[in-house]
Amino acid sequence: MNNTPLAPVTVIGLGLMGQALAGAFLKAGHPTTVWNRTSSKADRLVAAGARRAPTVGDALAAGPLTILCLTDYDAVYGLLGPDEIDLTGTTLINLTSGSSGQAREAAEWAARRGAHYLDGAIMAIPSGIGTADAVILHSGPQQVFEAHEPTLAALGTVTHLGADHGLASLYDVAGLAMMWSVLNAWLQGTALLRTAGVDAATYAPFARQIAAGVADWLPGYAEQIDKGAFPAEVSALETDARAMEHLIEESEAVGVNTELPQLIKAMAERAIAAGHGGEQYPVLIEEFGKPHTG
C-alpha cells in the first residue's frame, strides 16, 4: 500500500472555475491552499478541507505549485508583481485566459522573478473539472510539466503541447473558432428548416451526423495543407462555390439571414479568382492565412 502523501497545491482566484479547480484537487486528496480577494468565496472550500491563506504571499509559500485562475493577465501582475512577493523557485501554472503574446510575456516576467512557469487553457466548463472530459492544455518547459503532471491530472485530461508558452492560448482560440463555426452552421440550417415547420430537436441528430462526417475529413485535409497540394479528390472549389450560391438563394427565398453563407462564398470567390477553382476546399487555407483588409 502506497502511503506517500500527495503533493500540496495552491489555487489563487476563486471564481466559478477557480473553485472547481480547487475542489478537484481536494477531492483527489491533495492538501489545498486557496486565496481570493473576496475571502468569502473560499468558505465552501474551507468547509471541505482547504486551507484559507491570509495573504497572497502566504498562499505562495504553502507549497511549490500554484495555480492561477484570474480575470486577466493584468490581475496576475497586480497580485504577484509587488517586490515583496517572492516567486523564487515557485512553479506558476497560469490558467487565466489571454492571448499567446500575453502568455509569452508572462513567461519572461516569471523567469525574471525566478519562477518556473507554464501557461495553460481550460477546455471545459466548471462542472466538468475533475473528469476525463475536462481537457487542460499546458505549454512551456517539458520538465516543468512532467514534474507536476501527477498533481495536474486531478483536474482532468492534461496535455503538454510544447515549449512555446503561447501554444495553449493558440489552441484555445483555435478550439473556439471550431466551436462557434459548428454552432453557427447548425443555427443557419436550423433557421432554414424552421421556415418549413421543422423544429431544432428534429434537425439536431441529422446535423450531428453531418458534423461527425465532416470531422472525419480533417486528417486527409490536414495532409493536403501540410504538403501544400490540394488535388480535387472529392470536389473542386468551383463546384463547392456553386453549392454556396444555392444556400444563399434558398436563404434569401425563405427570409433567412445570408451573412454567414455570403462570407463563405466571398472567400471562395477570392481563391477561385487567384486560380484555385480546380483545387479542393482546403486550399482556402491561403485565404484564412491572410490578414483582413476590409
Side-chain angles (χ1 to χ4, degrees):
M1 183 176 179
N2 186 359
N3 293 318
T4 303
L6 294 177
V9 62
T10 291
V11 177
I12 293 178
L14 299 176
L16 292 177
M17 185 60 77
Q19 291 184 44
L21 298 173
F25 286 126
L26 280 171
K27 185 176 180 180
H30 291 275
T32 304
T33 298
V34 294
W35 185 90
N36 192 75
R37 191 180 300 277
T38 303
S39 181
S40 61
K41 288 191 175 182
D43 290 349
R44 181 181 60 82
L45 294 164
V46 170
R51 172 182 172 267
R52 190 197 321 258
T55 67
V56 170
D58 183 76
L60 291 164
L65 177 64
T66 294
I67 309 296
L68 305 172
C69 189
L70 299 169
T71 306
D72 52 33
Y73 282 71
D74 286 342
V76 173
Y77 298 136
L79 282 178
L80 305 186
D83 291 339
E84 65 269 18
I85 302 295
D86 184 12
L87 299 180
T88 305
T90 295
T91 295
L92 300 176
I93 298 184
N94 190 9
L95 300 181
T96 300
S97 295
S99 70
S100 59
Q102 288 175 316
R104 296 181 185 115
E105 290 173 2
E108 293 175 359
W109 167 84
R112 291 194 298 270
R113 297 290 299 276
H116 308 293
Y117 183 85
L118 293 176
D119 210 86
I122 302 170
M123 311 297 284
I125 59 176
S127 61
I129 298 298
T131 73
D133 291 336
V135 175
I136 318 293
L137 307 177
H138 300 83
S139 51
Q142 176 82 29
Q143 64 272 25
V144 176
F145 174 76
E146 290 179 349
H148 299 284
E149 184 177 5
T151 301
L152 296 173
L155 301 180
T157 302
V158 294
T159 301
H160 181 254
L161 300 171
D164 177 359
H165 286 91
L167 283 174
S169 291
L170 283 173
Y171 267 77
D172 185 24
V173 293
L176 292 175
M178 283 288 299
M179 179 185 73
W180 288 325
S181 296
V182 171
L183 288 174
N184 286 339
W186 175 68
L187 290 169
Q188 180 80 31
T190 299
L192 282 165
L193 286 165
R194 286 176 69 189
T195 66
V198 179
D199 61 24
T202 299
Y203 175 50
F206 176 82
R208 183 176 183 180
Q209 184 178 14
I210 293 294
V214 172
D216 287 341
W217 301 349
L218 298 184
Y221 279 10
E223 186 175 348
Q224 288 193 345
I225 291 171
D226 291 341
K227 288 181 177 178
F230 307 94
E233 299 167 347
V234 177
S235 176
L237 183 61
E238 57 192 5
T239 301
D240 291 328
R242 288 194 289 272
M244 293 171 193
E245 186 61 41
H246 296 159
L247 172 58
I248 293 168
E249 292 172 353
E250 184 67 40
S251 296
E252 290 174 340
V254 298
V256 167
N257 189 294
T258 64
E259 289 176 87
L260 179 59
Q262 290 278 12
L263 172 62
I264 297 168
K265 188 165 188 291
M267 297 185 76
E269 286 175 341
R270 290 198 297 270
I272 291 169
H276 300 297
E279 296 176 271
Q280 195 154 265
Y281 198 86
V283 74
L284 281 178
I285 189 66
E286 305 300 333
E287 293 300 319
F288 279 97
K290 296 175 183 177
H292 179 62
T293 57

